[in-house]
Amino acid sequence: MASSSLTKPQMRGLLAKRLRFHIVGAFIVSLGVAAFYKFAEAEPRKKAYADFYRNYSIKDFEEMRKAGIFQSAK
């Protein structure tokens, strides 16, 4: 009598339902991590390189060239 009042567990399509949920969650998490990396790491790095080379003078290059550091520039 007690067994007739219990509902049966859903077995059909359970894997597909759980996979759909977890795939959507993984996609959202990966987009969040990619956006975080882009704005927290890549953009500041690009800005630092741009600032360095914007202020980099030809005089420094000429000094290194005369010192013989570069093999291709004589």
Side-chain angles (χ1 to χ4, degrees), residues 11-24:
M11 302 300 271
R12 187 178 306 267
L14 184 61
L15 177 64
K17 182 180 176 184
R18 290 180 55 87
L19 277 178
R20 191 177 314 120
F21 173 76
H22 285 98
I23 286 175
V24 169

Side-chain angles (χ1 to χ4, degrees), residues 10-50:
Q10 177 191 2
M11 302 300 271
R12 187 178 306 267
L14 184 61
L15 177 64
K17 182 180 176 184
R18 290 180 55 87
L19 277 178
R20 191 177 314 120
F21 173 76
H22 285 98
I23 286 175
V24 169
F27 184 74
I28 291 171
V29 167
S30 66
L31 283 178
V33 168
F36 176 77
Y37 178 80
K38 177 176 173 43
F39 295 113
E41 182 69 27
E43 291 296 324
R45 184 180 292 174
K46 283 187 349 186
K47 184 181 180 305
Y49 274 99

